Amino acid sequence: MTVLDAIEKSGFKVLNLSDDAEEREISGVYCCDLLSVVMSKCFENAAWVTIMANVNSVAVATLTEMSCIILADGAAIDEIMITKAKQQGITVVQSDKPIFETALKINQLVNANA
Amino acid sequence: MSSMKLHYDVDNTDFTRAGEASSDTKKKLKLMGVSPEVVRKVAISMYEGEINMVIHANGGTIDVTISSDNIVLVLKDEGPGIANIDKAMEAGYSTANENIRSLGFGAGMGLPNMKKYSDEMNVKSEIGVGTTVTITIYNELT
Ligand SMILES: Nc1ncnc2c1ncn2[C@@H]1O[C@H](COP(=O)(O)OP(=O)(O)OP(=O)(O)O)[C@@H](O)[C@H]1O
Ligand SMILES: [Mg+2]
């Protein structure tokens, strides 16, 4: 399922939509908040569910080529993060549900269309 | 492929710019046709080193040399130095404060990641003088 498709169906709030959201496929769901662990363990085109809403999350997502960042638990948004996400072309959305429920929802959407 | 050199000055404690040097190198490696696996190894090692410089050492410099045989990263800072390198290399060891942890750092996995994703790694450090980490990643491209 593409990033755009998943986001539209999820109802999550869009903070930044990248130009490639329409074509980019989500390969799976990954959850973790410790950036060095994420760097090592996440995978390409993952939809990354985290509460780390800051500019470093964008750097990590870009470097590891994840498909999008899903901020869970209504994490407070840092304006600099969104500016960076626009620059780097990374999709960022926000969910008001906790990490598990957020990840479950996106996983169900991705699997339903697999 | 002739060798190519890149130099970066990493700003002290400017978290908004942290990761820019690594992103730039990653883009250049991709354009040069370096294999995705090698690009990933460089991106992870360089990012961890860049972040360590920002959060533990008030910034520093990174020199990257790309050749057909390997990619060499020299990360040099004039920060406080590391008292016990063996301990610092242990997974989970971190001196990061609360403020830094709240940004997602401080798992104590940066140096172990650098070790894991590089082919050769050397850490030289002196208290009050600084730290130099040299990393070599073999380039699969010939
Ligand atoms: N360039 C450096 N200058 C001084 N101390 C350093 C430097 N790099 C690492 N250290 C020390 O080594 C420790 C371990 O580093 P490491 O990168 O493994 O973990 P971390 O930076 O604390 O957390 P993480 O990388 O998981 O976010 C640090 O907490 C710090 O005390
Ligand atoms: Mg570190």
Side-chain angles (χ1 to χ4, degrees):
Chain A
M1 172 174 272
T2 66
V3 171
L4 186 65
D5 229 12
I7 284 165
E8 279 176 347
K9 292 191 170 118
S10 70
F12 297 153
K13 185 177 165 198
V14 177
L15 302 175
N16 184 53
L17 197 64
S18 76
D19 294 338
D20 65 0
E22 213 172 322
E23 302 104 59
R24 194 153 190 170
E25 291 285 330
I26 294 177
S27 61
V29 185
Y30 179 80
C31 308
C32 183
D33 297 320
L34 297 170
L35 300 181
S36 293
V37 177
V38 177
M39 272 316 272
S40 168
K41 301 279 168 65
C42 73
F43 44 91
E44 206 177 325
N45 287 321
W48 176 28
V49 185
T50 180
I51 58 165
M52 279 304 159
N54 65 56
V55 68
N56 305 296
S57 315
V58 177
V60 167
T62 314
L63 281 165
T64 58
E65 305 201 6
M66 290 195 267
S67 60
C68 58
I69 302 175
I70 303 171
L71 299 172
D73 240 341
I77 307 305
D78 169 347
E79 265 317 306
I80 308 169
M81 177 190 185
I82 302 307
T83 308
K84 187 94 169 182
K86 289 193 163 84
Q87 267 171 23
Q88 301 281 341
I90 182 104
T91 297
V92 183
V93 300
Q94 189 181 32
S95 151
D96 52 8
K97 298 275 186 325
I99 289 190
F100 177 74
E101 288 165 54
T102 302
L104 189 63
K105 179 158 197 175
I106 202 81
N107 196 53
Q108 281 166 345
L109 287 170
V110 170
N111 284 342
N113 249 47
Chain B
M1 185 168 78
S2 60
S3 87
M4 179 177 172
K5 287 183 191 298
L6 306 169
H7 175 85
Y8 303 95
D9 290 309
V10 178
D11 246 15
N12 71 315
T13 57
D14 185 355
F15 287 108
T16 64
R17 295 196 55 194
E20 278 184 10
S22 312
S23 296
D24 185 71
T25 293
K26 185 191 164 210
K27 272 185 207 130
K28 293 198 161 99
L29 292 174
K30 277 181 92 174
L31 285 173
M32 290 166 91
V34 172
S35 84
E37 196 37 46
V38 172
V39 174
R40 179 175 145 83
K41 285 164 76 176
V42 173
I44 293 174
S45 314
M46 187 164 165
Y47 176 76
E48 294 292 1
E50 186 178 353
I51 290 296
N52 277 354
M53 243 174 211
V54 176
I55 66 180
H56 304 298
N58 301 309
T61 58
I62 308 179
D63 283 281
V64 183
T65 308
I66 305 160
S67 67
S68 51
D69 291 338
N70 54 36
I71 293 141
V72 180
L73 313 172
V74 179
L75 303 117
K76 190 171 167 26
D77 68 62
E78 293 175 358
I82 303 172
N84 185 336
I85 295 174
D86 289 340
K87 188 137 195 106
M89 295 292 300
E90 280 174 16
Y93 177 81
S94 175
T95 59
N97 63 32
E98 250 332 289
N99 186 35
I100 287 166
R101 283 174 200 268
S102 72
L103 294 170
F105 302 117
M109 289 308 296
L111 287 168
N113 278 353
M114 290 158 82
K115 176 106 194 142
K116 180 175 169 196
Y117 290 99
S118 63
D119 295 302
E120 292 168 29
M121 175 169 160
N122 179 276
V123 184
K124 278 205 172 66
S125 191
E126 201 179 321
I127 295 295
V129 177
T131 302
T132 301
V133 181
T134 307
I135 281 174
T136 304
I137 290 161
Y138 304 146
N139 196 352
E140 284 155 18
L141 196 110
T142 42

